[in-house]
């Protein structure tokens, strides 16, 4: 099967965003890579069902999301790591502040309800418009806006962020940096 070069380029351009989305959904890089690979296989097998002129990324994200949901339903009976003890044993503790902050963000993101996390990732990290995210999730635009707003508020609460000063270096580090200039 010969793919149109523009279609091939659109599919390949979406891979990094698909991978990031898959990681956010599954929480596991290997599983995310498998999801992206299966998404690519399904997309290529069904490329004739893609409507030219529509959003290729949205179509691929929908395939990935449906694959994840199908897998989730199949794995529901597996034992979960409810207290996180197994997951804690697999990671090493970061040494730099940025890594610590990222880990705090990742944990807080993981505490969001799946629908809020999904909406926030699509709009905030993947760059989809509210309309595109609503199409991917199969819901109303207002629902996506509400989910994103609630997700942002809850993240700020979980991470104890009260304002812009809570981002970046702490007050002591800022003072040292200011003295060195």
């Amino acid at each position: 099967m010969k793919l149109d070069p523009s279609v091939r380029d659109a599919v390949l351009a979406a891979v990094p965003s698909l991978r990031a989305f898959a990681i956010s959904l599954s929480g596991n890089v290997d599983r995310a890579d498998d999801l992206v690979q299966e998404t690519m296989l399904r997309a290529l097998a069904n490329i004739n069902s893609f409507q030219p002129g529509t959003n290729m990324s949205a179509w691929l994200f929908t395939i990935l999301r449906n694959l994840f949901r199908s897998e989730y339903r199949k794995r529901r009976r597996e034992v979960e790591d409810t207290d996180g003890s197994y997951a804690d044993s697999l990671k090493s503790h970061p040494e730099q502040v940025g890594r610590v902050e990222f880990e705090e963000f990742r944990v807080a993101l993981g505490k969001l309800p799946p629908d809020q996390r999904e909406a926030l990732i699509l709009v905030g990290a993947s760059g989809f418009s509210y309309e595109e995210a609503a199409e991917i999730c199969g819901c109303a635009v207002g629902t996506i806006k509400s989910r994103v707003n609630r997700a942002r508020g809850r993240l700020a609460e979980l991470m104890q962020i009260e304002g812009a000063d809570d981002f970046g270096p702490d007050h002591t580090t800022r003072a040292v940096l200011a003295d060195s200039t």
Side-chain angles (χ1 to χ4, degrees), residues 42-140:
R42 289 202 182 175
L44 292 174
N46 297 294
I47 198 70
N48 294 333
S49 67
F50 175 71
Q51 300 293 321
T54 60
N55 189 331
M56 174 65 77
S57 289
W59 185 66
L60 292 169
F61 270 71
T62 302
I63 293 171
L64 187 141
R65 180 178 179 264
N66 291 341
L67 278 169
F68 175 77
R69 300 262 168 132
S70 294
E71 268 190 25
Y72 177 78
R73 283 190 296 272
K74 288 178 188 174
R75 294 177 187 226
R76 241 191 308 208
R77 292 190 171 94
E78 291 182 6
V79 175
E80 293 185 20
D81 185 22
T82 55
D83 64 354
S85 60
Y86 180 71
D88 286 342
S89 71
L90 297 177
K91 59 185 176 186
S92 61
H93 297 287
E95 296 177 7
Q96 296 177 346
V97 174
R99 289 185 183 196
V100 171
E101 289 174 347
F102 181 77
E103 181 64 15
E104 289 172 353
F105 172 76
R106 190 188 66 74
V107 168
L109 189 65
K111 290 180 180 179
L112 294 177
D115 60 339
Q116 289 179 16
R117 182 175 54 244
E118 180 178 67
L120 185 63
I121 297 290
L122 287 171
V123 172
S126 298
F128 285 104
S129 69
Y130 288 113
E131 292 78 12
E132 292 168 330
E135 183 182 326
I136 291 168
C137 293
C139 63

